[in-house]
Amino acid sequence: QVQLQESGPGLVKPSETLSLTCGVSGVSISGGHWWIWVRQPPGKGLEWIGQIYHSGMSNYNPSLESRVTMSVDKSKSQFSLTLTSVTAADTAVYFCARGYSSRGTYFSCGGDWGQGILVTVSS
Amino acid sequence: DIQMTQSPSSVSASVGDRVTITCRASQGINSYLAWYQQKPGKAPNLLIYAASYLRNGVPSRFSGSRSGTDFTLTISGLQSEDFATYFCQQTNTSPYTFGQGTKLEIK
């Protein structure tokens, strides 16, 4: 059974760096899946942050690209998100997800998700 | 960015009803369209991928279709557990944008 679990601080000060990790169990992080980050401000819709492959190949939302870095740590079976220079607008529930696959085809939509972690940006 | 215009923003329906939710893409996305269900305090749950393919384990009352850049999610025979918010997402062109969501409420 695939499980994803976000971890990291729930409170970050403005102008500082948000760092989250997604632990993956039940599946190899080195498979063919995309590893995805999505966020959702309280009471609002979903925003795709970006995705990364186990090789390190990644693509980010241009609206965040100057501040976002994703990485994969195969030895720990986890992938990470860092977002620099945060403001109150970055307050959101952050979800990690695994891209869906079916019959050997890999998709960029999220098939398995973590429970989400609320990150509040406030002094 | 590709804009996904989802409608309606909310809909009221009764158990047993048939409900249709639509997403229109601002440009061609082939069939790279997914539908999710989200309940309060929970992560989204993938229902439909590639516009019309039902994810394993999702009830057959859910279906998806495509006509050009218009995509439809249909729920036939609403059950109480279906009252939730639904989102579409295009994964054809990065950034992979979501629709604004449709809240399905009990009438």
Side-chain angles (χ1 to χ4, degrees):
Chain A
Q1 180 185 357
V2 178
Q3 290 189 316
L4 293 88
Q5 179 69 58
E6 303 89 352
S7 60
L11 181 64
V12 181
K13 290 182 168 56
S15 80
E16 295 190 346
T17 296
L18 179 161
S19 296
L20 297 175
T21 296
C22 183
V24 177
S25 60
V27 68
S28 171
I29 204 167
S30 298
H33 299 87
W34 286 102
W35 302 98
I36 300 161
W37 288 98
V38 170
R39 69 181 183 179
Q40 185 171 38
K44 296 189 178 180
L46 298 163
E47 181 180 27
W48 182 80
I49 300 172
Q51 63 182 18
I52 188 165
Y53 197 62
H54 65 82
S55 63
M57 179 174 59
S58 60
N59 58 311
Y60 305 145
N61 192 322
S63 69
L64 299 168
E65 190 163 19
S66 64
R67 300 193 291 131
V68 166
T69 303
M70 295 182 186
S71 61
V72 173
D73 187 334
K74 290 183 243 185
S75 67
K76 294 182 178 179
S77 193
Q78 63 186 35
F79 61 106
S80 300
L81 167 71
T82 56
L83 181 66
T84 62
S85 304
V86 298
T87 70
D90 295 310
T91 294
V93 176
Y94 286 76
F95 295 101
C96 61
R98 180 180 74 140
Y100 186 65
S101 64
S102 177
R103 299 175 201 168
T105 300
Y106 295 90
F107 300 89
S108 289
C109 53
D112 300 289
W113 294 69
Q115 63 187 23
I117 183 169
L118 174 62
V119 179
T120 301
V121 178
S122 175
S123 55
Chain B
D1 297 3
I2 293 176
Q3 306 304 314
M4 301 302 298
T5 303
Q6 188 172 340
S7 62
S9 56
S10 65
V11 59
S12 295
S14 301
V15 171
D17 283 354
R18 182 173 182 262
V19 169
T20 298
I21 300 168
T22 298
C23 265
R24 172 168 290 174
S26 60
Q27 61 191 77
I29 60 169
N30 298 297
S31 291
Y32 289 98
L33 191 285
W35 289 99
Y36 301 90
Q37 176 193 71
Q38 187 180 33
K39 296 185 177 179
K42 300 294 187 181
N45 179 43
L46 179 68
L47 302 173
I48 302 281
Y49 65 99
S52 60
Y53 289 83
L54 197 65
R55 181 193 184 170
N56 282 348
V58 173
S60 59
R61 63 180 179 272
F62 293 91
S63 63
S65 64
R66 171 194 172 191
S67 176
T69 57
D70 290 341
F71 298 83
T72 300
L73 172 70
T74 300
I75 312 171
S76 301
L78 273 172
Q79 300 297 305
S80 57
E81 60 266 30
D82 299 336
F83 293 96
T85 300
Y86 293 84
F87 293 93
C88 64
Q89 182 196 20
Q90 66 83 17
T91 58
N92 185 76
T93 305
S94 179
Y96 299 147
T97 43
F98 289 89
Q100 311 96 300
T102 295
K103 188 172 184 180
L104 175 54
E105 298 174 302
I106 301 174
K107 185 182 288 184

